[in-house]
Amino acid sequence: MPVISVPLDFNEEELYVDLRSIFGQPLFLKCEGFNFAGSIKLKAAAEMVEAAEREGALMPGSILVESSSGNLGVALSMIAASKGYGFLCVTDPRCNLSSRRMMEALGSQVHLIAEPDAHGGWLGARIDYVRALCASDDRYVWLNQYTNPGNWRAHYRTTAPAIARQFPDLDVLFVGAGTTGTLMGCARYFWEYHRRVRVIAVDSVGSVTFGGPPGRRMIPGLGTSVRPALLDESYVDEVIQVEEADTVRACHRLARSGFLFGGSTGTVVSGATDWLARHEEDRDLTAVAIAPDLGERYLDTIYQTNWLQDLYGEEILDADELTAGTRSA
């Protein structure tokens, strides 16, 4: 029986879901939501905070500040509460209400940006606010997940080796692209691996990460309106972009089989299963996708019928499509 005294000491690393019976494709889903922060972002948050402490940037009286669409903010709230720091999360209207409430419950402050920047992007506006805040008061310490190497090193040290231990014959890995910390950490690790592994980035339509045109994105987590500074495309074999409607359908199809996952997971699963369907000649492939979080924080959005129909139309939850390929009773 594990007994812990700080929340960072628990993070289930070895849980996978076999999706073949749900989607008919040979895909294992690595579940990263089983920790007290509820997402994979706990790893990057811990790595960046510990590095700031070692470097002397964080000290008693410091207030952490970070731009986040939700999950990293929750992770930093948990760590700040555990370590005795203040924390201010700068977010925007796409942040799930449950994530904002969780941060506040953990003692953090949440600042909601009301207007996008001059180019229509929320991320630029959030970063502008953080920079102005730090310039006005030296108590604020910005970890800057968008440029901080600790973001990708966390996954180079933990996520990728954990996958390699369980799947030594891995052929293809699907990773969602947000800040690209998870993507770059895993890609760098498998670049040095003893056998060739294809690393495929999964992005949202409307994201500019890989040079696509900007567009409306309502589901937080993946995609950006500013190209991530951490991204090095030379480590990425292929990029898949997924429409948000397909993200929603993948999430609901998983839920119809009892697995409630978040929007980022729906995007990655949709992209991965579509890629595998187009490569059916390689039925013996060993394929893994990373699920960044679980679905409870999305009950008011991607699992709420009125929200979905207002944004994506009446036919977004076609019953026949959602149940196709699901396991029989």
Side-chain angles (χ1 to χ4, degrees):
M1 178 182 70
V3 177
I4 65 173
S5 57
V6 293
L8 278 169
D9 288 345
F10 172 73
N11 189 14
E12 174 55 59
E13 186 74 85
E14 307 296 342
L15 180 64
Y16 294 80
V17 177
D18 185 346
L19 296 183
R20 191 189 298 263
S21 63
I22 303 174
F23 291 92
Q25 300 295 342
L27 181 64
F28 295 96
L29 187 63
K30 187 179 194 303
C31 302
E32 288 282 352
F34 292 97
N35 56 58
F36 283 98
S39 81
I40 196 171
K41 289 292 189 178
L42 179 61
K43 295 175 177 178
E47 185 87 14
M48 292 188 294
V49 167
E50 289 166 7
E53 289 175 331
R54 288 193 305 269
E55 295 162 3
L58 269 176
M59 57 193 70
S62 292
I63 303 171
L64 288 164
V65 60
E66 187 57 82
S67 159
S68 170
S69 61
N71 283 339
L72 183 71
V74 173
L76 286 172
S77 294
M78 188 200 83
I79 293 172
S82 176
K83 291 178 173 283
Y85 299 118
F87 174 58
L88 171 64
C89 180
V90 180
T91 189
D92 62 62
R94 296 171 304 168
C95 178
N96 296 321
L97 180 59
S98 59
S99 295
R100 287 156 53 188
R101 287 176 171 169
M102 287 180 71
M103 288 186 268
E104 291 168 345
L106 289 163
S108 298
Q109 293 181 294
V110 179
H111 178 83
L112 192 68
I113 296 293
E115 297 290 338
D117 63 19
H119 303 289
W122 290 106
L123 178 56
R126 284 171 13 201
I127 290 175
D128 287 345
Y129 183 88
V130 171
R131 285 181 172 143
L133 189 66
C134 292
S136 69
D137 190 334
D138 59 11
R139 291 177 302 165
Y140 288 101
V141 177
W142 182 25
L143 297 174
N144 195 353
Q145 64 166 323
Y146 309 105
T147 63
N148 194 318
N151 191 346
W152 67 262
R153 284 178 185 150
H155 304 289
Y156 182 93
R157 292 194 311 102
T158 62
T159 309
I163 294 170
R165 284 194 302 271
Q166 293 296 322
F167 299 92
D169 295 327
L170 181 67
D171 294 301
V172 57
L173 176 67
F174 299 92
V175 189
T179 64
T180 68
T182 307
L183 173 64
M184 296 315 302
C186 291
R188 281 186 165 95
Y189 180 89
F190 283 110
W191 186 267
E192 302 167 3
Y193 198 49
H194 64 85
R195 68 191 305 273
R196 182 76 173 94
V197 175
R198 279 183 280 187
V199 176
I200 298 179
V202 185
D203 195 16
S204 301
V205 170
S207 165
V208 306
T209 298
F210 296 95
R216 185 189 75 167
R217 290 179 297 109
M218 300 303 297
I219 300 173
L222 299 186
T224 61
S225 57
V226 178
R227 180 180 167 86
L230 296 176
L231 178 61
D232 183 343
E233 291 186 59
S234 67
Y235 289 97
V236 178
D237 292 284
E238 191 174 337
V239 178
I240 300 171
Q241 285 201 306
V242 176
E243 295 277 0
E244 284 194 334
D246 293 325
T247 291
V248 169
R249 293 185 186 105
C251 285
H252 280 261
R253 195 160 165 185
L254 285 161
R256 296 294 175 92
S257 293
F259 293 105
L260 197 70
F261 283 105
S264 297
T265 298
T267 302
V268 174
V269 168
S270 177
T273 53
D274 180 68
W275 188 94
L276 290 167
R278 290 185 281 106
H279 293 77
E280 288 195 337
E281 69 279 6
D282 298 326
R283 298 300 293 178
D284 294 329
L285 283 176
T286 299
V288 171
I290 297 175
D293 63 0
L294 303 179
E296 293 92 336
R297 296 174 192 174
Y298 301 84
L299 294 177
D300 293 330
T301 54
I302 60 177
Y303 294 107
Q304 214 285 327
T305 303
N306 290 339
W307 187 88
L308 290 175
Q309 291 180 343
D310 286 346
L311 289 173
Y312 306 107
E314 294 287 333
E315 302 302 318
I316 183 66
L317 299 180
D318 180 85
D320 292 336
E321 185 175 351
L322 292 179
T323 57
T326 55
R327 57 169 63 87
S328 58

